[in-house]
Amino acid sequence: MSNTFGNIFRLTTFGESHGEAIGGVIDGMPAGIEVDMDFIQQELNRRRPGQSAITTARQEADRVEILSGVFEGKTTGTPIGFMVRNTNQHSQDYENMRCLFRPSHADYTYYKKYGIRDHRGGGRTSARITISRVVAGAFAKLALQQSGITIQAYTSQVGNIKLEGSYQDYDLTQTENNAVRCPDEKTAQQMEALILQVKEEGDTIGGIISCVIKGCPVGLGEPEFGKLHAQLGLAMLSINAVKGFEYGAGFEGVTQRGSEQNDVFVPSSDSAHLKTLTNNSGGIQGGISNGEDIYFRVAFKPVATILQEQKTVDLEGNPTTLKARGRHDPCVLPRAVPVVEAMAAMVILDHLILKNKSKSNI
């Protein structure tokens, strides 16, 4: 089982949803970066359960403990070990799932691959494991701040309710002002109402998270198998419940002709770099960043655990029924926004280090 992500900036994770703790080890973090623990904790708070009526009711403080790699408030360049203890598990809620396979979960595939599975909250397959990604992403963000690179994600669609404009049409600083994390208040209210309705019905719903990365220099990414958009796609598709990834004009762009789609170069006030009149490429051309904003969208399916009776089979393949218990998200998007940002931050920092490393070797 692969538990490590990244090339030079790497994260190795451990833990299960109902185990003692979730944690990880970060390798390749640049030395001398000031560690803002309040910022790291705030990133975790954005992901933690129980933060509003549209998230799971599980109550976890999700307090991060740094075990190594930080001295006198700065990173030392050595591995950063950390963990977040689980304190509010209700493992008994999953007893009726011990001997059957939940629809659209990883129960069956894990059981067939490994011959054993942790049925308590999904064990290693639980979205609670994304805690480690958020911590590592927070460290990556602190390093990227030194280069003026910022990452902002937001909920752009829930079910059939969506923002019609691009990221440029909204004040993204308003994203954290509502529970659904949508930068348009009116649309956010409609999204929240839909999530509450779905929750009342014992059901779940999916949607889309959009993300924009600003300040990236030209030259991040490799031209063949290490294309920057491919690495971002790999990162996003590794997140629980993600079913799709597109960047730039994406699938909508297939209706255009090349004369409409091409990003024309224009003079820039910065003589060292060119600008483009449009940005249908999403800030990446030939797999390499071109200095424009990088923007992409990530599609999330409805959460697989629903509080309605469903048909399924037991471990021997005999038909049975399941009525899930416990505390579950009716929509994963509000808590997934910081996870998308974290994965993007890790990819960008990894490639920034690779770019600087290749320069130093010339």
Side-chain angles (χ1 to χ4, degrees), residues 150-163:
T150 63
I151 299 170
Q152 174 72 66
Y154 59 96
T155 299
S156 55
Q157 183 171 344
V158 173
N160 61 355
I161 300 173
K162 62 182 179 179
L163 296 175

Side-chain angles (χ1 to χ4, degrees), residues 161-217:
I161 300 173
K162 62 182 179 179
L163 296 175
E164 297 296 340
S166 73
Y167 70 91
Q168 297 165 316
D169 298 318
Y170 303 98
D171 179 2
L172 300 188
T173 64
Q174 302 301 306
T175 299
E176 295 295 315
N177 289 350
N178 54 74
V180 78
R181 293 197 163 90
C182 172
D184 181 73
E185 186 61 35
K186 182 178 179 181
T187 307
Q189 291 174 0
Q190 296 173 345
M191 290 176 173
E192 185 168 352
L194 176 58
I195 295 172
L196 288 172
Q197 175 191 334
V198 167
K199 179 182 179 181
E200 182 67 25
E201 296 168 355
D203 216 333
T204 61
I205 197 163
I208 294 175
I209 290 176
S210 297
C211 185
V212 57
I213 306 170
K214 292 179 172 288
C216 273

Side-chain angles (χ1 to χ4, degrees), residues 34-70:
E34 290 192 14
V35 178
D36 184 342
M37 289 303 301
D38 289 338
F39 171 76
I40 295 173
Q41 188 58 54
Q42 180 56 37
E43 291 293 276
L44 277 173
N45 291 346
R46 295 170 68 208
R47 195 225 70 94
R48 72 174 179 83
Q51 59 185 273
S52 75
I54 59 173
T55 66
T56 171
R58 180 170 176 170
Q59 292 296 320
E60 295 278 4
D62 285 352
R63 304 300 300 182
V64 62
E65 302 173 36
I66 304 300
L67 307 176
S68 64
V70 177

